[in-house]
Amino acid sequence: MNDCLLIATWLPNRRGAVKYKYNNLYDLESFAIVNVKDNPPMKDMFKILMFPDSRIFQAENSKIKKEWLEILDETKKNKVVKERHKKEEEVPNSPVRPEVSNNPFDVEDEPLSSEEAVDLNLEWIQELPEDLDVCIAQRDFEGAVDLLDKLNEYLKDQPVSPRVKELRGKVDERVRQLTEVLVFELSPDRSLRGGPKATRRAVSQLIRLGQSTKACELFLKNRAAAVQTAIRQLRIEGATLLYIHKLCNIFFTSLLETAKEFEMDFAGNNGCYSAFVVWSRAAMKMFVDAFSKQVFDSKESLSTAAECVKVAKEHCKQLSEIGLDLTFTLQSLLVKDIKAALQSCKDIIIEATKHRNSEEMWRKMNLMTPEALAKLKEEMRGCGMGSFEQYTGDDCWVNLSYTVVAFTKQMMVFLEEGLKLYFPELHMVLLESLREIILVAVQHVDYSLRCEQDTEKKAFILQNASFLHETVLPVVEKRFEEGVGKPAKQLQDLRKSSRPMRVNPDSTMSLV
């Protein structure tokens, strides 16, 4: 055909005069012809590119292939020339006679017509739509955008004629096709494995096309899908802390790489940075969901949870090297689960303390062996009880109740783990939890002093009360102030109110 390419299938078992079955019809301007190099046993082939599809044909021999290529090329050119002549004939040949001025000084230059001002007969302009089709089909995105930049530069500050509008229409259609291909290149199914750098090519060309907002949106969607896929593929095996190390390494490394790639790709587009900050917060929420599911939903111990949160905080600080601080976001997303964990641990300690209190006999501890006594001394020094030595007696005896010693160790462990999890939003939760735990022990000692009739046992109870007041509570206050940065008035008031009294004239003992 002189204006289109008709493709049909030969019918071997035909009836009557019909020899072919219609397959498709393509306008000559809608496709490009590409020579295909011989690759034995496949040879004598050529390709026809019709976005987004392509078809390959094989000729019987090289001569027939050459004839096909020549005929197709010549037909396409003849159509272009024919259309050009047709448009030129439509232009009126007799211009309107301008008015003649009688003023000899009123001389104006005759303006050039828009057809004369812009030369669209250049070979590269005539072949531009076809060249764009070839670049798009061959995924030469840079080449396509280079051609568009060249055309825009050529038509810059030029008058708009009907022929320019027609050319623009053809080019705009190719721009739309190119944009669709670039959008597809940024889809998660295409470029997740290559990391952030795999998106750079498509993103840079979209930005050159003036679509930085769309490029930013697609880039961030691509990276969100990549992060989500990486987290989902992480196998949950072994200890929780090991899993959290892997999770933090995958997430924060991906976030850091994404931030660096974003800064490189969108360096000249400051308006896109707010979108990245919003995306970072959403990505952090995705991370915290996976983190909390493994650490808090599985009811891990407070010490394990504290170690896991510490690992996450340390990884989060790495982002500061690129000026991105998400520590507050991480803390605000974790605060609910950490509060619940602290309160749950507090309830367990209170329940265990009450259970021991119910079986309290107020007897000195006998550790049986010097090794056991040395181990207990080491544990108490680790808890900050430097004066514990004065409560150890001869041989393997300790002049304290088992209940008070167990309570001291359990409470100090809770305090240390709570300080690892601490941030300002948790201040009152941790403080009130400590206060409730201490009250259980103090009230038990007070009740025992009031109820005990034996003078010797009263003296022993008072000794335990003195240990709590003079040794344990000051250490708790000091350690809390060191970890938080400010003193806790509630703990100070509690210690003052629980001050043990010496034997009074009536031989009774009590707590104030």
Side-chain angles (χ1 to χ4, degrees):
M1 305 289 182
N2 61 359
D3 60 350
C4 60
L5 174 68
L6 185 141
I7 299 178
T9 306
W10 179 61
L11 298 175
N13 301 319
R14 61 183 181 275
R15 294 182 180 179
V18 179
K19 296 181 180 181
Y20 299 95
K21 179 182 178 181
Y22 173 83
N23 187 296
N24 217 326
L25 189 69
Y26 299 101
D27 187 86
L28 288 180
E29 295 180 353
S30 67
F31 65 85
I33 307 151
V34 179
N35 184 25
V36 179
K37 294 182 179 179
D38 292 346
N39 186 17
M42 305 302 291
K43 58 181 182 178
D44 302 325
M45 298 183 298
F46 60 93
K47 183 187 292 187
I48 295 182
L49 306 174
M50 304 84 62
F51 178 82
D53 303 318
S54 64
R55 301 185 68 163
I56 297 179
F57 296 92
Q58 184 178 25
E60 294 181 16
N61 51 52
S62 58
K63 182 181 178 181
I64 296 178
K65 171 186 172 181
K66 183 179 180 182
E67 290 177 357
W68 265 107
L69 292 176
E70 290 176 350
I71 290 172
L72 286 167
D73 187 57
E74 183 180 354
T75 307
K76 286 172 70 71
K77 288 182 178 179
N78 288 340
K79 185 186 178 188
V80 171
V81 173
K82 183 178 179 181
E83 289 183 350
R84 188 189 311 155
H85 290 322
K86 183 178 178 182
K87 288 170 184 173
E88 288 175 353
E89 291 174 358
E90 292 176 356
V91 179
N93 295 324
S94 55
V96 178
R97 185 189 295 266
E99 290 186 13
V100 179
S101 173
N102 295 324
N103 186 351
F105 299 100
D106 188 11
V107 179
E108 295 182 0
D109 295 332
E110 184 179 352
L112 294 174
S113 67
S114 59
E115 296 290 339
E116 294 174 342
V118 184
D119 184 7
L120 300 182
N121 296 325
L122 299 175
E123 184 178 357
W124 71 270
I125 291 182
Q126 293 295 320
E127 297 178 354
L128 183 65
E130 183 178 331
D131 290 341
L132 287 173
D133 288 335
V134 173
C135 289
I136 294 171
Q138 294 183 340
R139 299 179 73 249
D140 181 13
F141 309 133
E142 294 83 357
V145 180
D146 288 343
L147 288 173
L148 291 170
D149 287 345
K150 183 179 179 181
L151 177 66
N152 290 332
E153 184 64 27
Y154 181 77
L155 297 178
K156 185 179 179 182
D157 300 328
Q158 297 290 346
V160 180
S161 66
R163 289 186 61 198
V164 171
K165 287 183 179 179
E166 181 184 2
L167 177 63
R168 284 289 189 188
K170 294 179 181 179
V171 170
D172 288 345
E173 176 62 22
R174 270 69 177 184
V175 171
R176 184 188 64 79
Q177 295 175 359
L178 176 60
T179 302
E180 289 177 357
V181 175
L182 292 173
V183 169
F184 177 70
E185 287 293 314
L186 286 172
S187 64
D189 297 334
R190 291 284 295 172
S191 52
L192 285 185
R193 294 184 179 180
K197 293 182 180 179
T199 63
R200 184 182 300 172
R201 188 171 173 231
V203 167
S204 61
Q205 301 315 311
L206 276 175
I207 293 174
R208 290 180 64 190
L209 289 173
Q211 302 192 45
S212 57
T213 302
K214 179 176 286 188
C216 175
E217 178 186 353
L218 294 170
F219 172 80
L220 295 177
K221 281 184 178 180
N222 178 282
R223 298 319 306 153
V227 172
Q228 189 173 21
T229 301
I231 292 176
R232 191 180 298 151
Q233 290 176 348
L234 184 60
R235 296 180 62 183
I236 302 175
E237 56 184 2
T240 298
L241 187 58
L242 177 62
Y243 171 83
I244 294 302
H245 272 289
K246 293 179 179 179
L247 176 65
C248 290
N249 186 56
I250 288 175
F251 174 75
F252 286 102
T253 300
S254 298
L255 195 61
L256 191 62
E257 290 177 351
T258 300
K260 290 179 178 178
E261 185 64 27
F262 186 91
E263 193 171 15
M264 184 181 297
D265 292 345
F266 299 92
N269 297 274
N270 296 331
C272 295
Y273 280 84
S274 57
F276 177 76
V277 173
V278 173
W279 176 86
S280 299
R281 290 176 61 86
M284 183 63 77
K285 186 177 186 308
M286 187 193 312
F287 164 78
V288 170
D289 288 343
F291 181 95
S292 296
K293 184 177 180 181
Q294 188 64 21
V295 176
F296 296 109
D297 293 355
S298 57
K299 304 299 181 183
E300 290 288 343
S301 66
L302 191 64
S303 60
T304 301
E307 287 298 324
C308 292
V309 172
K310 181 181 177 183
V311 170
K313 286 181 178 179
E314 289 174 351
H315 277 81
C316 195
K317 289 178 182 177
Q318 296 176 1
L319 299 176
S320 61
E321 68 180 70
I322 58 169
L324 183 64
D325 188 359
L326 294 177
T327 304
F328 177 76
T329 302
L330 175 65
Q331 292 176 348
S332 62
L333 291 171
L334 285 174
V335 65
K336 181 180 178 181
D337 289 321
I338 295 178
K339 276 184 179 179
L342 287 171
Q343 290 171 345
S344 175
C345 187
K346 173 205 70 176
D347 293 339
I348 292 173
I349 293 175
I350 290 176
E351 192 64 31
T353 303
K354 288 181 177 179
H355 178 72
R356 288 192 298 267
N357 291 345
S358 66
E359 299 177 350
E360 179 63 80
M361 301 295 293
W362 292 114
R363 294 176 180 175
K364 295 181 181 181
M365 290 179 66
N366 184 2
L367 298 176
M368 307 301 290
T369 65
E371 291 79 10
L373 179 59
K375 182 180 178 181
L376 178 60
K377 288 180 179 179
E378 184 65 29
E379 289 176 350
M380 297 303 282
R381 277 194 297 269
C383 292
M385 308 298 159
S387 60
F388 180 73
E389 294 276 352
Q390 71 185 54
Y391 293 94
T392 57
D394 299 332
D395 298 328
C396 301
W397 289 90
V398 177
N399 297 323
L400 292 172
S401 165
Y402 165 77
T403 300
V404 172
V405 172
F407 164 79
T408 301
K409 292 194 294 184
Q410 200 169 21
M411 185 187 63
M412 293 307 297
V413 169
F414 174 80
L415 174 59
E416 292 299 327
E417 303 305 335
L419 290 176
K420 289 180 183 177
L421 293 166
Y422 179 85
F423 44 87
E425 289 78 4
L426 296 170
H427 183 84
M428 291 307 300
V429 176
L430 180 59
L431 191 57
E432 286 300 317
S433 297
L434 286 170
R435 186 174 178 279
E436 289 181 35
I437 292 171
I438 293 171
L439 270 176
V440 173
V442 168
Q443 289 172 351
H444 171 65
V445 174
D446 180 45
Y447 176 78
S448 299
L449 277 173
R450 294 179 185 280
C451 297
E452 186 59 56
Q453 300 298 321
D454 185 87
T455 305
E456 187 175 344
K457 276 195 174 182
K458 278 189 176 182
F460 180 66
I461 295 172
L462 187 60
Q463 188 173 10
N464 281 270
S466 187
F467 172 73
L468 286 174
H469 178 267
E470 297 174 6
T471 303
V472 177
L473 296 186
V475 170
V476 171
E477 291 176 32
K478 180 181 178 183
R479 186 69 192 93
F480 186 88
E481 184 175 351
E482 290 174 351
V484 173
K486 57 183 178 180
K489 187 175 182 301
Q490 292 91 330
L491 295 179
Q492 293 174 354
D493 294 342
L494 179 61
R495 179 166 59 88
K496 291 176 182 177
S497 66
S498 63
R499 190 160 34 100
M501 299 294 291
R502 295 298 175 186
V503 180
N504 60 29
D506 299 325
S507 298
T508 60
M509 305 174 189
S510 66
L511 292 177
V512 176

